[in-house]
Amino acid sequence: MSDADAQQKFSLDYTSEEAESLAAILDAAAVEAREPWDLLDRMTVALRGDDGEFQRTALIVCVERAFAHSFEEEANHKGALRMGVRFSSPDGSWPPGIDTVPLEEKEVWEKLSELVNHPLPKAQLLDLLFTSRRISGPKQASGLIQIYVDLAANSNLDPYYRASCLRRAWSVARQYELPTERDLRRALYAMGHSLAIRGDVPPGILLRPFESLVVPPRTDDFIDPTRQDVRELLEKIRADEASMIVQEGVTDLLVDLAENADEIAEARRVLAAAYLDTASASQGMLSMHWLQTAAQYSQAYGLTDLRDKAVRDMQSIPPESLGMESHVFDFTLPMHIQDGRLRRYRWSRDLLSALEIWLATDSPTGDHEANVEQSRELSRSGIRQLVTRTTFEANGLPLRTSVGPEQAETEELERVEQINARFYSLLLARELDAIKQEYGVLEPGLIAAHFVRRYGCNDELGQEFAECLSLYWEGRYSDAGRAAFPLIEAALRGTLWSLGSPLFRIQTGDASGKFPALETYLTKLEEHEFDPSWLRCLRNPIATLRNALAHGHRFRLESDEAALLIRCAGLLVLLTPPDARQADRDSIATRLVDPIGWAATQVEMVRGWSRVWVPRCTQARSQ
């Protein structure tokens, strides 16, 4: 019978002899078993036939499912355990939840619980009956508790299972408010003390008894052990254990144990200091990791002094000590590929018509849908989506940390866009250089007048855009880029104003009224179905470049970066009507959906065979 068959309803026809035989096998296998799953494995080996095949009768499948259940935390009761399916299968679908088990199967649990003698299988079967409410009441609860106490005292059993037995017994005692809770707390404390002095105990076992000990007793005062007894033992573990997993676990327990805010703050302060100490004992990237963890933890809990210390230490780590490496890949492109787009400018007659072609180029980050598909394929083909990822600034400080495949795909998309923007901004710069080489330069006023006449754009913005081009052709790339960015925001504001979008943030209290930041404009553009490829370009890399300049992380711009900013400014300036208050909203909204198509048609350009915009008279010759 397959596992799929085992999860379906089946007929449980068996004889008393078969049940007695299986109970005897369970008792025999339990002698050497260390916990229920080990017992299940030993039972399966015992049932293997001479031909190597495993017996899988409905009765056996029922027992397999019973012993595959494990202890899990009870969500609504701190420190309590219940029977569940934790780590019984990858997706929690096997064995079926206790509430979904058919009555016939529960009757098998009951029958076998009467037949087995060893406490290991008896406790498992009785607890399943108890959890499914087939049995209940203080008397039955006391019987189950005693079996679990006996199992916990057996040093031959798995230590994790032994600690879990005590916690499950404590949980049942609290459920019925039995006086045995006091004895169970003493037993849990004794086990915790024993584990604390052993050393080299995995954190999941070491801290297991304390999950219940930090919960105030339900039937008695917090005595034997006292709250102070538990606190001192936890602090001893924290002092003896270098593992940060243990340190974090002890802190969580001390927070649960605390009686006031000062004790909570002190527990968290000690952990933050431990992060800092671990960072001091580490080097390079590992030190940066612990400092970042200390800063984030301290920030979350208001430990300002420790947060500031962590940040100061982060800033003092030289980037070269982080061990990061740069991998450079050189490849050579034929000139006709590198400058292939220049052939379109052969159809221009002067500088102004050449600029019309330049302003009809597509988004520098490329087609958004194609980028999404490429980033999805790249993120799925590597292991990056499976690990925690931290992005660092050029100065070596962590920028952001992310996990999961969805975030990995988003990061890959940003990387693809950055690469595309870098490549196409180089082409934009070379094209501006070629235009100047061929036609020289014109006065900004003449260029602005042409834009206003051709595209019907705002004359003030058109003049400023022409000034940006003039600065670029003078070789003042940084000045040109800095002048272009305010144009981007001004043009966005004017375009949205013309669409009737509410932009101005009114004054509230002491805060003055003002227009919002760039991202707010972009969000509103998205609502108006602005071309997604250009929207992504404005978010990445334009906004990133703007922030670097505004906050003093960059002071100079290269020619390609200036060309990129000028190109985006040009697009938005052309879309902005001369009077934003009186503009036809439907007309402006249409421009946003396909801004390049609109700009091209204003100067009588059409789509050529190679999917680029060319002058109408040259359509038949486009390649």
Side-chain angles (χ1 to χ4, degrees):
M1 182 180 297
S2 68
D3 289 336
D5 294 332
Q7 295 190 45
Q8 299 175 358
K9 187 175 181 180
F10 47 80
S11 176
L12 276 171
D13 294 328
Y14 61 91
T15 65
S16 297
E17 290 76 13
E18 289 175 325
E20 291 171 358
S21 174
L22 188 54
I25 291 173
L26 286 170
D27 280 336
V31 174
E32 299 293 332
R34 290 172 54 79
E35 46 88 25
W37 198 287
D38 186 25
L39 171 59
L40 177 57
D41 289 341
R42 292 173 185 274
M43 181 200 76
T44 303
V45 172
L47 290 171
R48 190 171 187 176
D50 295 336
D51 57 359
E53 292 293 325
F54 293 101
Q55 299 180 45
R56 298 296 304 285
T57 66
L59 180 62
I60 292 172
V61 169
C62 181
V63 173
E64 289 175 352
R65 301 191 335 176
F67 284 88
H69 283 86
S70 62
F71 295 118
E72 63 183 25
E73 301 289 334
E74 194 167 351
N76 297 327
H77 297 90
K78 181 71 177 176
L81 295 181
R82 53 161 291 162
M83 292 295 287
V85 294
R86 181 173 182 262
F87 281 114
S88 296
S89 61
D91 59 359
S93 62
W94 186 88
I98 294 176
D99 293 341
T100 66
V101 173
L103 176 62
E104 296 85 354
E105 193 165 348
K106 295 175 182 176
E107 290 174 345
V108 170
W109 298 346
E110 192 167 7
K111 178 66 174 177
L112 288 175
S113 71
E114 297 170 354
L115 293 173
V116 296
N117 296 309
H118 196 284
L120 182 56
K122 186 177 283 290
Q124 184 80 1
L125 293 165
L126 285 176
D127 205 348
L128 288 171
L129 292 169
F130 197 84
T131 304
S132 62
R133 298 181 178 83
R134 287 285 293 174
I135 61 175
S136 60
K139 181 179 179 180
Q140 289 79 0
S142 296
L144 178 61
I145 288 171
Q146 186 56 54
I147 297 175
Y148 273 135
V149 169
D150 293 341
L151 288 171
N154 187 346
S155 60
N156 293 321
L157 295 181
D158 176 78
Y160 180 83
Y161 178 66
R162 292 173 59 203
S164 299
C165 286
L166 277 183
R167 283 189 59 190
R168 177 57 179 154
W170 173 85
S171 305
V172 176
R174 282 177 64 85
Q175 181 179 345
Y176 284 93
E177 298 185 2
L178 299 176
T180 49
E181 181 188 3
R182 183 187 310 111
D183 298 328
L184 290 167
R185 287 181 58 80
R186 283 197 290 263
L188 283 164
Y189 181 77
M191 179 174 286
H193 189 276
S194 175
L195 292 171
I197 63 177
R198 281 178 55 181
D200 297 327
V201 179
I205 299 174
L206 177 61
L207 302 180
R208 191 109 174 120
F210 295 95
E211 300 286 352
S212 300
L213 279 172
V214 298
V215 179
R218 175 171 290 181
T219 58
D220 206 345
D221 294 330
F222 211 130
I223 55 174
D224 198 16
T226 65
R227 194 185 299 269
Q228 184 62 24
D229 291 334
V230 178
R231 181 182 294 108
E232 289 178 357
L233 186 52
L234 284 170
E235 290 174 347
K236 176 185 177 351
I237 293 173
R238 183 171 60 184
D240 294 343
E241 288 284 342
S243 166
M244 291 309 303
I245 295 176
V246 173
Q247 297 279 334
E248 292 165 345
V250 168
T251 299
D252 291 340
L253 291 167
L254 287 172
V255 168
D256 291 336
L257 185 65
E259 295 184 273
N260 52 59
D262 289 341
E263 291 181 358
I264 292 175
E266 179 59 24
R268 289 170 173 162
R269 173 171 287 277
V270 172
L271 178 58
Y275 287 138
L276 291 172
D277 291 341
T278 304
S280 299
S282 307
Q283 294 181 343
M285 190 69 73
L286 189 57
S287 179
M288 179 65 77
H289 164 73
W290 289 118
L291 288 172
Q292 182 183 5
T293 303
Q296 292 172 336
Y297 185 83
S298 300
Q299 174 72 20
Y301 294 110
L303 307 173
T304 308
D305 57 328
L306 296 180
R307 178 206 62 194
D308 291 347
K309 177 174 174 23
V311 172
R312 284 195 300 269
D313 291 349
M314 289 168 64
Q315 293 172 173
S316 68
I317 296 179
E320 58 272 13
S321 70
L322 296 176
M324 292 187 287
E325 298 179 358
S326 296
H327 295 272
V328 179
F329 300 92
D330 294 326
F331 59 93
T332 303
L333 285 177
M335 291 298 295
H336 69 87
I337 293 179
Q338 183 175 353
D339 292 325
R341 297 202 317 184
L342 286 178
R343 71 182 187 275
R344 285 179 291 172
Y345 294 89
R346 295 172 181 169
W347 303 317
S348 63
R349 298 187 59 185
D350 52 26
L351 181 141
L352 296 176
S353 57
L355 283 177
E356 291 171 358
I357 296 173
W358 191 76
L359 289 168
T361 53
D362 289 324
S363 169
T365 51
D367 180 74
H368 178 57
E369 291 185 5
N371 290 343
V372 169
E373 184 60 32
Q374 182 182 1
S375 62
R376 185 175 293 123
E377 293 177 2
L378 289 172
S379 64
R380 289 175 179 173
S381 62
I383 66 169
R384 293 184 66 253
Q385 62 173 317
L386 305 177
V387 299
T388 300
R389 304 168 298 275
T390 300
T391 303
F392 288 83
E393 292 270 26
N395 56 20
L397 293 173
L399 181 63
R400 64 173 178 265
T401 299
S402 61
V403 295
E406 292 185 0
Q407 191 62 35
E409 187 175 315
T410 300
E411 292 167 359
E412 200 65 59
L413 174 61
E414 293 175 354
R415 199 167 4 259
V416 168
E417 291 170 341
Q418 289 280 3
I419 292 173
N420 287 348
R422 176 66 174 169
F423 177 75
Y424 285 109
S425 64
L426 288 169
L427 297 185
L428 290 169
R430 292 173 72 86
E431 289 164 14
L432 284 179
D433 294 340
I435 291 172
K436 176 187 176 183
Q437 179 68 25
E438 181 69 20
Y439 297 117
V441 296
L442 284 179
E443 288 292 325
L446 296 175
I447 297 175
H450 177 78
F451 288 154
V452 172
R453 184 175 64 255
R454 275 292 203 181
Y455 300 99
C457 63
N458 181 281
D459 57 350
E460 182 180 3
L461 296 183
Q463 178 65 37
E464 294 301 321
F465 176 63
E467 295 285 353
C468 289
L469 287 169
S470 179
L471 289 170
Y472 179 90
W473 281 323
E474 291 176 12
R476 297 166 58 184
Y477 305 127
S478 297
D479 292 339
R482 290 194 184 95
F485 192 84
L487 276 179
I488 292 175
E489 287 209 24
L492 285 172
R493 185 166 54 248
T495 300
L496 289 168
W497 197 320
S498 69
L499 292 168
S501 295
L503 301 178
F504 191 73
R505 292 180 176 175
I506 61 172
Q507 61 182 11
T508 54
D510 295 334
S512 302
K514 62 180 180 180
F515 284 101
L518 174 64
E519 180 55 34
T520 301
Y521 293 151
L522 299 181
T523 300
K524 290 187 176 295
L525 273 181
E526 193 170 10
E527 295 172 0
H528 288 287
E529 299 182 346
F530 184 51
D531 185 321
S533 299
W534 278 101
L535 191 67
R536 289 297 305 180
C537 182
L538 291 171
R539 282 185 166 138
N540 177 43
I542 295 300
T544 303
L545 192 58
R546 181 262 178 195
N547 290 337
L549 288 170
H551 298 295
H553 300 302
R554 292 282 304 274
F555 297 101
R556 298 181 60 82
L557 292 173
E558 302 296 333
S559 60
D560 59 292
E561 294 170 325
L564 176 64
L565 286 167
I566 295 171
R567 177 66 189 91
C568 291
L571 170 78
L572 297 168
V573 166
L574 299 188
L575 292 175
T576 307
D579 189 338
R581 290 178 174 82
Q582 301 298 325
D584 185 321
R585 294 181 181 179
D586 291 338
S587 174
I588 301 302
T590 301
R591 300 180 189 182
L592 295 179
V593 176
D594 182 15
I596 298 303
W598 173 83
T601 55
Q602 300 309 295
V603 291
E604 299 184 337
M605 300 177 77
V606 295
R607 282 285 190 183
W609 296 340
S610 58
R611 302 294 292 171
V612 296
W613 290 98
V614 298
R616 182 182 298 276
C617 62
T618 62
Q619 179 182 11
R621 295 185 287 119
S622 62
Q623 296 273 327

